[in-house]
Amino acid sequence: MKNQTTGKRLVAYALTFKKTILIALLLLSVAVAAELSGPFIAKKIIDDHILGIEATWYATTEENENVVSYRGESFVREQYAEGIAVDREVRILQIGRFFYFVDEPVLFDGQRSLDGSLLTITLGEQKVEYEVEQLSAAEVWAFYQPEIKPIVFLLALYLGLLLFAALFQYGKSVLLQSAANRIIQKMRTDVFQQIQRLPIRYFDSRPAGKIVSRITNDTEAIRELYVKVLATFFTSAIYLIGIYIALFLLDVQLALITLLVIPILLIWIVLYRKYAAKYNHLIRSRLSDMNGMINESIQGMPIIQAFRRKEKTSDEFEALNHEHFTYQNKLLSLNSLTSHNLVSVLRNLTLVLLIWYFGGMSLDATTMISIGMLYAFVDYIGRMFQPVTDVVNQLAQLEQARVASIRVFELMDEIGEDVNEQLIPRYKGEVSFRNVSFSYNGKNDVLKQLSFDAKQGETIALVGHTGSGKSSIINLLFRFYDYQKGSILIDGMDIQKMPRQQIRKHMAIVLQEPFLFSGTIATNVSLHDPLITREKIEQAIRDVGAEEFVLNLPNGYDETVIEKGSTLSAGQRQLISFARALAFNPAILVLDEATANIDSETEAMIQHALDVVKEGRTTFIIAHRLSTIKHADQILVLDHGEIIERGNHEELLKGKGKYYQMYQLQVGKQAVHIS
């Protein structure tokens, strides 16, 4: 997917719901056709029925609903004369606000002038005169009677089409927005699943707030793309196609002239994207920075308040906020200067062309157009600029969505590993490090030619000053990172040849800072794993000695836990974290400074529980408090990524080396007794 353009990937997402979108576009096409029939119907009403009174009339002796009586005679319009016996030809002409009866054929039409009852029609050098009779209002109304039913029918037809179009427009809107919401739902799911696939090193170098911004803010911008932008573009495109079809049906030459709007619009879109892209990138970046800072400030609020850093933190946030505001204003200025002006210029230019074209035609009476035609053209051209305006107004949102898409797809293009749910038999837990060297940055090794063995059921303690490599050993064992040299074996199998999820299936870890999820005590132990039954949850709670405090809670095992378990004490959170590890019955158990933040009484409970549950498991303990690892089978003393001492507690004290010095510093000289 990485080699595909952002546009193609967005289209690929849209095509996952192509049936819904196609149905919506079909409904839209029908609705547009119904709406755009209006000017055609209006043209027919004006030309055929309102102005049709000036058409040729014939005297007749027959009677029907289309025959009009005038001064003792009957007349029928040429349009309704089929199948009727007719006599002489007569005309009705409008001069000013009044209508006149001409009792003879009119040879040609042109400029009309009236002198008493004498009508003069002039066309170039030609001139003809006719005796006319002025019609009263009642007589004019009588001549209009045959047109009432057709006009009412056409108006009712247009009203029906509008209602029909409104219904289809509603269906289109529901389907398009439903498809858009489903598309973005799938995208958010894909992004979240991608985060689960990413290695730990990805999160080490990026603030959580920035990652959250990509999942929430950026995907929301993409949702606007599907809900508003693409819907607007689809709708506008179909409207423009329908309008141009109508214009070509009315007049090919003028329709060709108005086609100039399309390349101008396309050129503008290209130019706009070129200049707006820069601002949108900066805006999204600053928004991400602000989210990261907000997230960090919330997590570190006790430190900020304790060290009186509120003002400084506010200043730093305001600096980011001001940059975001500045770039937003620049983009706003670009939109304001161009969008409205572009549409206004195009509209005015088209109207000038329309006036020039029809004005030129009116100079030649042989090509004079009808009022209905003029009305239809003006109506269609007015309608044409609404979709153009809609498209131009959505360009800013389109560019924001495009930039947001780039950021989201950058995250999705990060190399991850598919989750492997295949179960493997529980391994014994024998661990061997063979000349392992590892570097986080590829330059400076934090572990150097490290070798040791941990047999099944042994407890291995890792001690050393900060930066000595203790946590790095655990990171490699869990394959949060991969080593560059050497090999790590579990039961003789190289872990780099095993899927990460399978390795971790039979591992558990308890961290110095226990993390509890929103839910209940029980769900924090089981993590919603269906294999962890209620009985296993309660047994794990009992094994770590947490049953007493859990049962004293109002809801016991179902007590609600809020984010991070802030309503529980540090010791209670740690006990639940221990129960979680034990409930999964790991072959390898890792305690990373797990007793550093708990009181002596709680530590004693945990130590007692561990003596019971570590049978048959390989346990790694990272500890600064050396008193907690006296009974470890093997203690590895690390310094700058190398093992400088190894042995059990008594052996290392006898050696009076680095471990001896560390123990002296912690418990005092009098407490150190070497037998």
Side-chain angles (χ1 to χ4, degrees), residues 249-261:
L249 290 174
L250 290 172
D251 190 290
V252 174
Q253 186 174 349
L254 186 56
L256 289 172
I257 295 174
T258 57
L259 274 177
L260 290 173
V261 172

PDB file of all heavy atoms in Angstrom, residues 249-261:
ATOM      1  N   LEU A 249     -29.061  21.171 -25.054  1.00  0.00           N
ATOM      2  CA  LEU A 249     -30.361  20.954 -25.684  1.00  0.00           C
ATOM      3  C   LEU A 249     -31.007  22.273 -26.087  1.00  0.00           C
ATOM      4  O   LEU A 249     -31.725  22.350 -27.091  1.00  0.00           O
ATOM      5  CB  LEU A 249     -31.284  20.195 -24.726  1.00  0.00           C
ATOM      6  CG  LEU A 249     -30.912  18.724 -24.463  1.00  0.00           C
ATOM      7  CD1 LEU A 249     -31.822  18.137 -23.395  1.00  0.00           C
ATOM      8  CD2 LEU A 249     -31.005  17.904 -25.746  1.00  0.00           C
ATOM      9  N   LEU A 250     -30.735  23.337 -25.321  1.00  0.00           N
ATOM     10  CA  LEU A 250     -31.316  24.644 -25.626  1.00  0.00           C
ATOM     11  C   LEU A 250     -30.556  25.363 -26.731  1.00  0.00           C
ATOM     12  O   LEU A 250     -31.149  25.886 -27.677  1.00  0.00           O
ATOM     13  CB  LEU A 250     -31.339  25.510 -24.361  1.00  0.00           C
ATOM     14  CG  LEU A 250     -32.326  25.088 -23.268  1.00  0.00           C
ATOM     15  CD1 LEU A 250     -32.098  25.915 -22.008  1.00  0.00           C
ATOM     16  CD2 LEU A 250     -33.769  25.252 -23.752  1.00  0.00           C
ATOM     17  N   ASP A 251     -29.218  25.420 -26.591  1.00  0.00           N
ATOM     18  CA  ASP A 251     -28.419  26.153 -27.583  1.00  0.00           C
ATOM     19  C   ASP A 251     -26.980  25.659 -27.517  1.00  0.00           C
ATOM     20  O   ASP A 251     -26.275  25.873 -26.514  1.00  0.00           O
ATOM     21  CB  ASP A 251     -28.470  27.654 -27.305  1.00  0.00           C
ATOM     22  CG  ASP A 251     -27.860  28.465 -28.445  1.00  0.00           C
ATOM     23  OD1 ASP A 251     -26.626  28.411 -28.607  1.00  0.00           O
ATOM     24  OD2 ASP A 251     -28.616  29.148 -29.159  1.00  0.00           O
ATOM     25  N   VAL A 252     -26.510  25.005 -28.555  1.00  0.00           N
ATOM     26  CA  VAL A 252     -25.184  24.388 -28.563  1.00  0.00           C
ATOM     27  C   VAL A 252     -24.082  25.436 -28.465  1.00  0.00           C
ATOM     28  O   VAL A 252     -23.115  25.289 -27.708  1.00  0.00           O
ATOM     29  CB  VAL A 252     -24.999  23.526 -29.830  1.00  0.00           C
ATOM     30  CG1 VAL A 252     -23.569  22.994 -29.907  1.00  0.00           C
ATOM     31  CG2 VAL A 252     -25.996  22.380 -29.838  1.00  0.00           C
ATOM     32  N   GLN A 253     -24.203  26.513 -29.217  1.00  0.00           N
ATOM     33  CA  GLN A 253     -23.142  27.512 -29.267  1.00  0.00           C
ATOM     34  C   GLN A 253     -22.910  28.163 -27.900  1.00  0.00           C
ATOM     35  O   GLN A 253     -21.774  28.283 -27.448  1.00  0.00           O
ATOM     36  CB  GLN A 253     -23.473  28.584 -30.313  1.00  0.00           C
ATOM     37  CG  GLN A 253     -22.335  29.583 -30.520  1.00  0.00           C
ATOM     38  CD  GLN A 253     -22.631  30.551 -31.672  1.00  0.00           C
ATOM     39  OE1 GLN A 253     -23.577  30.346 -32.422  1.00  0.00           O
ATOM     40  NE2 GLN A 253     -21.819  31.583 -31.786  1.00  0.00           N
ATOM     41  N   LEU A 254     -23.984  28.577 -27.243  1.00  0.00           N
ATOM     42  CA  LEU A 254     -23.829  29.215 -25.941  1.00  0.00           C
ATOM     43  C   LEU A 254     -23.356  28.206 -24.897  1.00  0.00           C
ATOM     44  O   LEU A 254     -22.575  28.543 -24.001  1.00  0.00           O
ATOM     45  CB  LEU A 254     -25.144  29.847 -25.498  1.00  0.00           C
ATOM     46  CG  LEU A 254     -25.060  30.675 -24.207  1.00  0.00           C
ATOM     47  CD1 LEU A 254     -24.015  31.768 -24.333  1.00  0.00           C
ATOM     48  CD2 LEU A 254     -26.406  31.279 -23.870  1.00  0.00           C
ATOM     49  N   ALA A 255     -23.793  26.971 -24.995  1.00  0.00           N
ATOM     50  CA  ALA A 255     -23.335  25.931 -24.063  1.00  0.00           C
ATOM     51  C   ALA A 255     -21.828  25.738 -24.186  1.00  0.00           C
ATOM     52  O   ALA A 255     -21.130  25.551 -23.187  1.00  0.00           O
ATOM     53  CB  ALA A 255     -24.073  24.629 -24.330  1.00  0.00           C
ATOM     54  N   LEU A 256     -21.308  25.779 -25.420  1.00  0.00           N
ATOM     55  CA  LEU A 256     -19.863  25.653 -25.624  1.00  0.00           C
ATOM     56  C   LEU A 256     -19.115  26.816 -24.976  1.00  0.00           C
ATOM     57  O   LEU A 256     -18.024  26.630 -24.415  1.00  0.00           O
ATOM     58  CB  LEU A 256     -19.550  25.586 -27.123  1.00  0.00           C
ATOM     59  CG  LEU A 256     -19.954  24.289 -27.828  1.00  0.00           C
ATOM     60  CD1 LEU A 256     -19.767  24.431 -29.338  1.00  0.00           C
ATOM     61  CD2 LEU A 256     -19.143  23.113 -27.306  1.00  0.00           C
ATOM     62  N   ILE A 257     -19.692  28.008 -25.052  1.00  0.00           N
ATOM     63  CA  ILE A 257     -19.050  29.175 -24.432  1.00  0.00           C
ATOM     64  C   ILE A 257     -18.985  29.005 -22.914  1.00  0.00           C
ATOM     65  O   ILE A 257     -17.957  29.271 -22.278  1.00  0.00           O
ATOM     66  CB  ILE A 257     -19.807  30.470 -24.808  1.00  0.00           C
ATOM     67  CG1 ILE A 257     -19.695  30.722 -26.320  1.00  0.00           C
ATOM     68  CG2 ILE A 257     -19.266  31.659 -24.023  1.00  0.00           C
ATOM     69  CD1 ILE A 257     -20.531  31.898 -26.800  1.00  0.00           C
ATOM     70  N   THR A 258     -20.089  28.556 -22.321  1.00  0.00           N
ATOM     71  CA  THR A 258     -20.115  28.403 -20.862  1.00  0.00           C
ATOM     72  C   THR A 258     -19.211  27.268 -20.378  1.00  0.00           C
ATOM     73  O   THR A 258     -18.894  27.201 -19.185  1.00  0.00           O
ATOM     74  CB  THR A 258     -21.550  28.146 -20.374  1.00  0.00           C
ATOM     75  OG1 THR A 258     -22.073  26.979 -21.030  1.00  0.00           O
ATOM     76  CG2 THR A 258     -22.443  29.334 -20.673  1.00  0.00           C
ATOM     77  N   LEU A 259     -18.789  26.390 -21.277  1.00  0.00           N
ATOM     78  CA  LEU A 259     -17.857  25.320 -20.883  1.00  0.00           C
ATOM     79  C   LEU A 259     -16.515  25.858 -20.409  1.00  0.00           C
ATOM     80  O   LEU A 259     -15.740  25.146 -19.772  1.00  0.00           O
ATOM     81  CB  LEU A 259     -17.631  24.356 -22.054  1.00  0.00           C
ATOM     82  CG  LEU A 259     -18.630  23.209 -22.211  1.00  0.00           C
ATOM     83  CD1 LEU A 259     -18.315  22.400 -23.459  1.00  0.00           C
ATOM     84  CD2 LEU A 259     -18.595  22.304 -20.983  1.00  0.00           C
ATOM     85  N   LEU A 260     -16.217  27.112 -20.714  1.00  0.00           N
ATOM     86  CA  LEU A 260     -14.963  27.723 -20.268  1.00  0.00           C
ATOM     87  C   LEU A 260     -14.859  27.744 -18.748  1.00  0.00           C
ATOM     88  O   LEU A 260     -13.760  27.842 -18.192  1.00  0.00           O
ATOM     89  CB  LEU A 260     -14.857  29.155 -20.810  1.00  0.00           C
ATOM     90  CG  LEU A 260     -14.638  29.291 -22.325  1.00  0.00           C
ATOM     91  CD1 LEU A 260     -14.724  30.758 -22.730  1.00  0.00           C
ATOM     92  CD2 LEU A 260     -13.288  28.697 -22.719  1.00  0.00           C
ATOM     93  N   VAL A 261     -15.998  27.656 -18.069  1.00  0.00           N
ATOM     94  CA  VAL A 261     -15.989  27.661 -16.606  1.00  0.00           C
ATOM     95  C   VAL A 261     -15.213  26.463 -16.060  1.00  0.00           C
ATOM     96  O   VAL A 261     -14.504  26.571 -15.049  1.00  0.00           O
ATOM     97  CB  VAL A 261     -17.431  27.652 -16.074  1.00  0.00           C
ATOM     98  CG1 VAL A 261     -17.461  27.454 -14.560  1.00  0.00           C
ATOM     99  CG2 VAL A 261     -18.134  28.948 -16.449  1.00  0.00           C
TER     100      VAL A 261
END
